[in-house]
Amino acid sequence: MAEPLPVLEMTGIVKEFPGVRALSGVDFRLFPGEIHALLGENGAGKSTLIKVLTGVYSLDGGTVTLNGTPVRFHSPSQAQQAGISTVYQEVNLCPNLSVAENILIGREPTRFGRIQWKRLRREAAELVDRLGLDIDVDAPLSSYPLAVQQLVAIVRSVGTGDSDGPGSGTRVLILDEPTSSLDRDEVLELFALMRRLKDQGVAILFVSHFLDQIYEVCDRMTVLRNGALVGEHLVRDLDQVGLVQLMIGKALDQLEELHDHQLHADVGESLLTADGVGRTGRIAPFDLEIKKGEVVGLAGLLGSGRTELARLLFGADQPDSGKVTIGGRQVPMSAPNDAIAAGVAFCSENRRAEGLVPDLTVRENIVLALQAARGWTRPVPAAQRDELVAKYIKALDIRPADPEARVGQLSGGNQQKVLLARWLITQPKLLILDEPTRGIDIGAKAEIQKLVVSLSEDGMAVLYIAAELEEVLRLSHTIGVLRDRKLVAKLANGPEITPTRILETIASGEHQ
Amino acid sequence: MTTTTTREPAAPDSRTPGRAARILADRRLPVLVTAGLFLVMYAVGLSRYQNYGFAETQVFLNLFIDNSYLLVAAVGATFVILSGGIDLSVGSVIGFTTMFTAWLVEKQGLPIVVVIPMALAVGAFGGYLMGYVIQNFEIQPFIVTLAGLFLFRGLCLVISKESISITDSTVSSMAQAQISLGGGFLSVGAVVSLVVLGVAFYVLHHTRFGRRVYAIGGNEQSALLMGLPQGGTKIAVYTVSGFCSALAGLLFALYIQSGDPLHATGLELDAIAAVVIGGTLLTGGSGYVVGTLFGVLVLGLIKSLIQFEGTLSSWWTKIATGVLLCAFILVQRTMTSRRSP
């Protein structure tokens, strides 16, 4: 097959930060009319490459050519003018303005300084139409859900290049994790738009953590590892197992071990019982028993009450009915302190806002809960503290293994481990993990799951919440299914329990 | 089989909000509420005091005459608040402008036509400086304009500790000029304030600058990433507010015919109250300058009603303003919480 000339070619890209070589000689090319996935674990250099390409960072070495001409961008707006547009994970639009304005603001059609509103609406509507979308351009952006706002952001970025006249439009569109907050239908709509753009000859660079999505929509992929190029492949030539091996650079022993992992059978006596516990408007009263050494998984859609249930068991929200008994003693649950005193630990899904203190060091973050449990009048002795911290950094393989590193600078997976370490150090009887693997790469995911297994083997009870059903199934002895803020089923895990079965339970809402 | 679905399946009509929701989310609603309130209050005035001359056209037109300076100041404040900022220096700049004008006209003998552009330039420059500091040193507008408040009030006293009355004949004739209008008349100040309102409306809704003000108020970070000149717009907004304050100061000097170091103390708070009662969100990005007109009229009408009542002390104006402000902020709060998806 004769390959056309690439629209964008990056050769030997080098980017250095003080003490770190973020990119060492990476080659990357992008052809018109293709969707190209950029893959790699967290910290592999994906974001750095994109930022170099869009002019956010300056180059330390290598060349970038666009349509055969060497280019060098010093700001995102320069890259934009050259036809390289970026849509980020966060929607960067103004919710208070209309859709039409959001698409065209900054280049509104004017006449003697007066905005031509009719023309603006017409042009925006044409652009929306051309991309085959059905959006009312007069409605305020905030009246649409996030997914549509994301589409509007794409329309804006596609339209940006049109300023030099029709046809000169965007040639390269970079989509940086656009799907992370979309549901399945919305993802499909986004993909449809991506395919239409592709047919119009736009080259799309797509970054996503979801491998299924890569295989669904991409033609070609480039894999990075530790700032270096691992390979460029056509998607149809490389299966998912091969891809994961390329990404993490080692065989899949770790992961496979987990797949074959048998749930250990020595579940002990009852640890926690919730009896008709509920909170009006948050979650309907539920009964739940968690035994020592048992992993209870919670499955359900986002917003089905998973987190709400967990927060009640931790006293982060106060139940207005029912009672919680832990280890035979009734716990009032009027504040998290009650739960902590009873041996419950809670790792929030929102690790940045509700868990970690990004400006403190790894050491300080880890000892936070232990110190809180002791009270501020009894500081943890320095020697004991350093020993504990060193032990958990090693046990959880936190990288960099530097207790003085600021937590904010760690990758998502390592931040999650720090949060885990904080609670493990207090030796809880029940560990509540709310989405511990969200947004972290596959290697770190496997490590955290392995940790959950070994903790439960040591007799710790775990309440595990995850969006991915396979993950819940793999780890849990019992699976609680939630739907519409109600615990609708409790299933004992076994060979007959499959993701499909759970999905059916979620869909029907019936206990079978 | 994908199991990454993490949301409730969207209801089929989730993209087209229901009619009631649409009306509640309509950004024009607060303005209509304020306009409605004004009409109701006016009707109450008519029914209670019609035998005391409340129905006369001039009583209505006096609302514009007596509040012309407040309207101009509030229009400037509308720009700032729409952009998500705040300007506390308004009252001090007004006070300073009255002193500056009275001093130049009376003590230095400069003709008023020369003094007007000088006063406007000083006000605009003061606003520009505050905007520059806010933007380039990334300091809270609250603090910077608070500094401006003290600075300009202090400068009043540098000019003179005593009030200076304006006796210049051109100024007096301007102050007394009447522009007749349907059975009554408007003052020069009232006409100027309405022109300022019209210009502000045009700028906010029909120029790129105006739309940038809304964009910045909606989400400053996004505005930056969308490639809008966010810094320049922010500085310009404070310059506009400084200019409007100086113009309000000129109208105030014309209305009172004197300069005084204590003129218009705390007027910035009246201006902010008028803007908020007029339906502009304090968080920025939503509101209309027409709403500000109604906000000013409502405040003015409270004063007139209390005057007509006769037995009430003027402090009731403040109490009524406080109650209204509180009510409107609560209404806004419920509206914005409905609006966010």
Side-chain angles (χ1 to χ4, degrees):
Chain A
M1 187 178 91
E3 283 187 335
L5 280 176
V7 55
L8 175 84
E9 194 157 16
M10 302 173 83
T11 356
I13 301 296
V14 176
K15 176 69 201 172
E16 279 168 344
F17 294 110
V20 198
R21 190 158 225 216
L23 293 175
S24 42
V26 172
D27 298 337
F28 178 77
R29 47 190 198 148
L30 198 55
F31 293 93
E34 74 167 356
I35 302 179
H36 192 130
L38 185 58
L39 292 156
E41 289 193 283
N42 291 346
K46 289 172 300 188
S47 325
T48 314
L49 188 70
I50 288 179
K51 284 182 175 158
V52 164
L53 174 58
T54 53
V56 176
Y57 294 154
S58 60
L59 270 180
D60 292 331
T63 54
V64 181
T65 56
L66 190 65
N67 279 336
T69 2
V71 286
R72 191 159 255 212
F73 302 125
H74 300 286
S75 74
S77 64
Q78 275 182 3
Q80 235 173 54
Q81 273 156 19
I84 301 180
S85 298
T86 317
V87 172
Y88 299 95
Q89 185 176 354
E90 318 282 326
V91 177
N92 284 307
L93 296 174
C94 294
N96 57 326
L97 303 182
S98 72
V99 171
E101 275 202 272
N102 268 297
I103 292 175
L104 288 171
I105 194 163
R107 51 207 161 83
E108 303 99 326
T110 55
R111 198 179 163 147
F112 307 122
R114 183 193 165 97
I115 294 176
Q116 296 171 289
W117 282 103
K118 271 190 189 155
R119 211 177 120 199
L120 182 138
R121 278 194 284 268
R122 201 182 59 231
E123 283 181 10
E126 277 168 8
L127 212 48
V128 166
D129 232 33
R130 205 177 86 199
L131 299 178
L133 298 172
D134 177 26
I135 301 172
D136 175 10
V137 296
D138 288 333
L141 186 75
S142 59
S143 67
Y144 285 108
L146 204 61
V148 181
Q149 298 189 13
Q150 191 110 48
L151 297 178
V152 173
I154 295 178
V155 175
R156 173 180 171 82
S157 63
V158 168
T160 310
D162 270 353
S163 50
D164 311 332
S168 71
T170 295
R171 288 176 287 207
V172 176
L173 178 63
I174 301 169
L175 301 174
D176 191 1
E177 299 236 23
T179 55
S180 56
S181 52
L182 306 190
D183 73 21
R184 183 67 197 148
D185 288 343
E186 295 166 339
V187 167
L188 286 180
E189 190 159 353
L190 176 71
F191 285 177
L193 174 59
M194 283 166 64
R195 292 199 184 95
R196 278 193 294 272
L197 286 169
K198 170 182 144 178
D199 292 341
Q200 293 171 13
V202 177
I204 299 176
L205 171 56
F206 181 65
V207 180
S208 171
H209 262 115
F210 303 109
L211 299 188
D212 287 339
Q213 296 182 353
I214 306 282
Y215 277 84
E216 200 176 333
V217 77
C218 296
D219 306 306
R220 191 189 295 267
M221 52 195 175
T222 294
V223 183
L224 301 180
R225 190 173 64 232
N226 294 332
L229 176 71
V230 178
E232 190 206 77
H233 301 270
L234 288 176
V235 169
R236 61 169 181 270
D237 292 346
L238 186 68
D239 66 359
Q240 290 213 21
V241 177
L243 170 61
V244 171
Q245 283 179 350
L246 280 184
M247 281 167 68
I248 63 179
K250 51 187 165 190
L252 286 178
D253 300 349
Q254 274 191 333
L255 298 173
E256 310 225 310
E257 195 180 306
L258 266 175
H259 278 293
D260 301 337
H261 149 79
Q262 290 290 313
L263 296 168
H264 68 93
D266 49 339
V267 167
E269 62 207 77
S270 173
L271 174 70
L272 177 146
T273 16
D275 211 357
V277 175
R279 183 176 163 93
T280 318
R282 304 298 292 270
I283 186 154
F286 60 89
D287 301 332
L288 188 68
E289 186 187 28
I290 305 177
K291 302 196 183 77
K292 283 181 184 156
E294 184 185 31
V295 180
V296 176
L298 292 183
L301 302 172
L302 192 80
S304 61
R306 298 178 314 207
T307 300
E308 286 78 358
L309 190 154
R311 285 175 67 91
L312 286 189
L313 294 185
F314 187 61
D317 292 322
Q318 286 71 52
D320 55 15
S321 69
K323 59 175 197 225
V324 179
T325 318
I326 299 175
R329 284 230 314 272
Q330 190 179 335
V331 178
M333 287 295 171
S334 52
N337 265 345
D338 298 333
I340 293 172
V344 182
F346 180 80
C347 290
S348 162
E349 62 177 330
N350 200 345
R351 54 180 171 259
R352 277 183 176 275
E354 293 176 14
L356 294 167
V357 187
D359 286 332
L360 293 185
T361 63
V362 169
R363 176 169 54 78
E364 287 162 329
N365 268 288
I366 289 180
V367 295
L368 212 56
L370 182 63
Q371 186 62 67
R374 289 170 66 105
W376 60 271
T377 50
R378 295 193 304 136
V380 186
Q384 189 196 341
R385 181 194 65 197
D386 291 344
E387 191 192 317
L388 273 172
V389 169
K391 180 178 145 200
Y392 278 94
I393 287 181
K394 188 154 177 283
L396 298 183
D397 190 20
I398 294 171
R399 278 180 268 178
D402 172 14
E404 299 302 324
R406 285 199 322 122
V407 158
Q409 290 168 338
L410 268 55
S411 71
N414 283 308
Q415 289 186 355
Q416 188 64 50
K417 288 182 192 167
V418 171
L419 192 56
L420 262 171
R422 173 196 294 173
W423 289 112
L424 292 180
I425 225 169
T426 65
Q427 296 177 322
K429 296 191 188 106
L430 168 64
L431 179 63
I432 303 176
L433 296 174
D434 193 356
E435 299 259 23
T437 56
R438 185 166 73 180
I440 67 180
D441 62 66
I442 192 149
K445 228 177 217 183
E447 280 173 36
I448 283 178
Q449 294 178 14
K450 250 170 63 183
L451 184 73
V452 168
V453 171
S454 74
L455 287 172
S456 74
E457 275 165 358
D458 293 345
M460 193 184 291
V462 180
L463 183 66
Y464 193 88
I465 303 176
E468 284 183 47
L469 289 180
E470 280 93 348
E471 210 175 306
V472 174
L473 274 177
R474 207 178 296 145
L475 296 174
S476 312
H477 296 88
T478 307
I479 297 154
V481 181
L482 288 124
R483 174 195 156 93
D484 295 340
R485 299 183 180 268
K486 198 173 163 204
L487 185 63
V488 291
K490 278 168 281 185
L491 311 169
N493 203 351
E496 77 285 358
I497 306 286
T498 58
T500 326
R501 170 80 191 281
I502 293 187
L503 276 181
E504 280 165 11
T505 313
I506 292 174
S508 66
E510 275 163 26
H511 192 336
Q512 297 176 346
Chain B
M1 170 88 249
T2 177
T3 47
T4 48
T5 314
T6 52
R7 270 223 205 144
E8 292 282 7
D13 60 335
S14 70
R15 284 204 183 174
T16 44
R19 195 171 164 180
R22 248 202 145 121
I23 291 173
L24 270 174
D26 195 314
R27 287 167 201 283
R28 281 166 296 194
L29 184 66
V31 178
L32 295 177
V33 169
T34 310
L37 176 74
F38 174 75
L39 290 179
V40 169
M41 282 168 61
Y42 195 73
V44 168
L46 282 180
S47 67
R48 277 180 74 94
Y49 316 116
Q50 59 176 341
N51 300 331
Y52 304 93
F54 193 85
E56 277 176 32
T57 323
Q58 196 53 46
V59 171
F60 180 76
L61 292 179
N62 279 346
L63 285 177
F64 291 86
I65 295 173
D66 297 338
N67 297 293
S68 59
Y69 58 91
L70 178 59
L71 178 58
V72 173
V75 165
T78 309
F79 275 83
V80 175
I81 291 174
L82 276 178
S83 78
I86 194 92
D87 187 354
L88 297 180
S89 70
V90 172
S92 294
V93 175
I94 292 175
F96 172 77
T97 309
T98 64
M99 279 307 282
F100 184 70
T101 309
W103 180 69
L104 285 182
V105 172
E106 293 299 318
K107 307 283 177 187
Q108 307 300 319
L110 287 180
I112 187 75
V113 281
V114 178
V115 174
I116 288 175
M118 285 171 71
L120 292 177
V122 169
F125 182 68
Y128 172 83
L129 276 187
M130 285 187 280
Y132 184 86
V133 172
I134 290 165
Q135 174 58 27
N136 289 288
F137 298 97
E138 290 176 29
I139 304 176
Q140 295 290 333
F142 188 97
I143 293 300
V144 176
T145 57
L146 186 64
L149 180 153
F150 288 119
L151 182 74
F152 277 103
R153 195 55 78 183
L155 285 176
C156 291
L157 293 161
V158 170
I159 294 174
S160 163
K161 290 183 189 66
E162 310 286 319
S163 83
I164 307 169
S165 56
I166 303 174
T167 49
D168 181 81
S169 60
T170 329
V171 177
S172 319
S173 61
M174 264 168 76
Q176 280 152 23
Q178 297 186 350
I179 294 116
S180 56
L181 184 87
F185 66 89
L186 283 177
S187 67
V188 174
V191 173
V192 169
S193 70
L194 289 175
V195 170
V196 167
L197 181 77
V199 171
F201 180 84
Y202 180 84
V203 168
L204 282 173
H205 293 281
H206 294 287
T207 66
R208 287 188 174 183
F209 168 68
R211 301 321 291 170
R212 288 204 298 265
V213 173
Y214 278 89
I216 289 176
N219 189 334
E220 193 174 336
Q221 191 58 30
S222 291
L224 184 67
L225 286 170
M226 285 160 97
L228 303 177
Q230 154 267 4
T233 308
K234 230 162 125 182
I235 296 175
V237 157
Y238 287 93
T239 311
V240 167
S241 179
F243 176 87
C244 285
S245 303
L247 184 56
L250 286 170
L251 298 186
F252 196 81
L254 202 60
Y255 182 69
I256 304 267
Q257 297 202 35
S258 73
D260 188 305
L262 293 178
H263 270 340
T265 311
L267 194 92
E268 61 279 350
L269 302 181
D270 288 332
I272 293 169
V275 173
V276 171
I277 291 175
T280 301
L281 285 187
L282 265 180
T283 46
S286 173
Y288 295 90
V289 74
V290 177
T292 301
L293 170 66
F294 282 108
V296 169
L297 289 180
V298 164
L299 291 185
L301 194 56
I302 293 173
K303 264 187 239 164
S304 322
L305 288 176
I306 284 165
Q307 277 163 14
F308 270 88
E309 189 65 42
T311 56
L312 287 174
S313 133
S314 68
W315 284 109
W316 281 97
T317 318
K318 303 267 179 207
I319 294 170
T321 310
V323 170
L324 263 188
L325 199 56
C326 192
F328 272 80
I329 289 192
L330 286 177
V331 168
Q332 287 189 357
R333 183 73 210 138
T334 46
M335 282 191 57
T336 40
S337 61
R338 266 171 205 282
R339 200 181 284 152
S340 46

